[in-house]
Amino acid sequence: MSTDIQTLKSLDLFSAFSNEELGFLVEIIDPLKVTEGEILTQRGTPATTFFIIISGNFMVSFKNGHAFTLHEKGNVIGWSTVVTPFNYTGTATALTDGEVLTISGDELLRIVQEDAPLAQKFMEKINKVVEERSPFVTGKIAGTSETTDNSEV
Amino acid sequence: MYGLEAISANNGWAMALLGITIVFSGLAFLSFFISRLHLFLEFWENKDERIAKLKKRFQKKPEIKKEAPVVKVPDNLQEAMAQFKMLTTRIGDPFSLPRLIEMAEMSGLFHPHSTVNKFIKAGVIEPDGKGFFTWKL
């Protein structure tokens, strides 16, 4: 079962994408139901899947006990699928039942490598997420004002 | 030496100017005083009332204490909150959210993930901005 272009258009991550580009993505995106307590990504393991939240609430935790929570539609989990060394940096757990869109890391990388304009739009958004969350990965977050639901896309 | 020459030699012009200034200043002050005289008289007639008003104006207004925003905890969360709070007495506040969930699971608490989520949504637990979380109640 695949998702549709309208659903993708409603997400900030794909707001700048043309219908043609969304057409490519629709082919590789699959919706997935998640249940409370389900682990989506495990820190340190190969990043094989990229997730986009449609509904539900999620927690991403890191090795030093740091964590943030995601509650908004369009928040993403698993940016490590497109950033070297392609290993998850955090453990994402579903706090409630919900639904996510999944993209295979290999497929996503293939599209990003083959289509330069699409890659640029996508990586612009991903870079923002990486910038917001990298303090959690490095553990250097003293004095920042990261909140539970401000992680755009 | 007579006439204007004598006036100039003995600072007559300056003295005349000073005299004119003094007289005009006096007249100006007097006219101002007279123009405001009715106010003084009115004040004098109602002096008790006016003094009371002035006193009231300069009295310190009692400070209205701003109350902290009230976080309403739904009744069904009260009991869970007590249980989770008990867990955090062991790990301290601010606390690690995954650690709290882990301890709740070990303690056999009911649906620890969604309960913690409810706490966050209700504003009972808030991120401290440094990767940890803290109780707001």
Side-chain angles (χ1 to χ4, degrees), chain B residues 8-80:
Chain B
S8 295
N10 295 290
N11 295 323
W13 297 116
M15 281 192 281
L17 197 66
L18 184 69
I20 291 167
T21 307
I22 291 168
V23 169
F24 271 89
S25 300
L27 288 172
F29 175 76
L30 194 63
S31 62
F32 177 77
F33 179 76
I34 291 166
S35 73
R36 301 284 129 187
L37 193 58
H38 69 282
L39 291 176
F40 290 115
L41 293 173
E42 190 194 340
F43 181 83
W44 188 253
E45 277 177 8
N46 307 307
K47 60 183 175 190
D48 294 336
E49 192 186 326
R50 290 296 172 112
I51 287 168
K53 263 190 180 178
L54 279 174
K55 271 186 181 173
K56 205 175 176 182
R57 185 178 288 181
F58 289 104
Q59 264 178 357
K60 269 192 174 178
K61 286 179 185 171
E63 282 183 18
I64 300 165
K65 281 188 181 175
K66 279 187 180 175
E67 286 180 17
V70 179
V71 180
K72 268 200 167 182
V73 184
D75 292 340
N76 56 344
L77 276 185
Q78 292 280 6
E79 194 183 334

Side-chain angles (χ1 to χ4, degrees), chain A:
Chain A
M1 190 176 74
S2 65
T3 189
D4 60 90
I5 290 180
Q6 285 311 313
T7 306
L8 298 187
K9 265 192 170 175
S10 69
L11 303 171
D12 181 55
L13 179 64
F14 302 123
S15 58
F17 284 46
S18 67
N19 279 355
E20 193 188 352
E21 289 167 332
L22 292 175
F24 289 131
L25 288 168
V26 157
E27 300 296 319
I28 61 164
I29 291 180
D30 289 308
L32 174 73
K33 299 268 184 202
V34 292
T35 53
E36 178 186 344
E38 194 173 328
I39 292 172
L40 276 68
T41 69
Q42 187 84 49
R43 182 172 49 84
T45 60
T48 53
T49 312
F50 182 80
F51 301 91
I52 305 159
I53 297 170
I54 297 297
S55 65
N57 303 275
F58 299 82
M59 173 184 70
V60 184
S61 57
F62 301 87
K63 62 179 174 185
N64 41 17
H66 289 159
F68 61 83
T69 54
L70 300 169
H71 306 276
E72 303 295 319
K73 181 182 178 182
N75 285 158
V76 301
I77 297 168
W79 52 261
S80 302
T81 46
V82 286
V83 178
T84 53
F86 307 113
N87 286 329
Y88 289 126
T89 53
T91 299
T93 311
L95 293 176
T96 58
D97 293 351
E99 188 182 358
V100 292
L101 297 179
T102 65
I103 310 177
S104 152
D106 291 339
E107 287 290 308
L108 187 58
L109 260 183
R110 184 181 58 79
I111 284 196
V112 164
Q113 285 166 353
E114 285 176 1
D115 191 331
L118 183 148
Q120 192 184 344
K121 290 175 197 169
F122 183 75
M123 290 312 291
E124 260 177 34
K125 297 282 186 181
I126 292 299
N127 285 340
K128 276 187 194 168
V129 178
V130 174
E131 198 179 316
E132 281 172 13
R133 299 184 189 171
S134 58
F136 286 90
V137 179
T138 58
K140 295 173 183 171
I141 50 176
T144 60
S145 56
E146 183 83 20
T147 60
T148 55
D149 55 3
N150 69 348
S151 301
E152 293 295 324
V153 295

Side-chain angles (χ1 to χ4, degrees), chain A residues 36-37 57 59 61 64-69 71 93-96 136 141-148, chain B residues 95-99 101 105 110-117 120-121 126-133:
Chain A
E36 178 186 344
N57 303 275
M59 173 184 70
S61 57
N64 41 17
H66 289 159
F68 61 83
T69 54
H71 306 276
T93 311
L95 293 176
T96 58
F136 286 90
I141 50 176
T144 60
S145 56
E146 183 83 20
T147 60
T148 55
Chain B
F95 53 86
S96 161
L97 197 63
R99 179 85 183 111
I101 292 173
E105 278 179 321
F110 187 68
H111 286 297
H113 294 86
S114 57
T115 306
V116 161
N117 185 62
I120 293 169
K121 291 269 183 170
E126 275 190 355
D128 71 346
K130 294 171 185 173
F132 292 107
F133 286 74

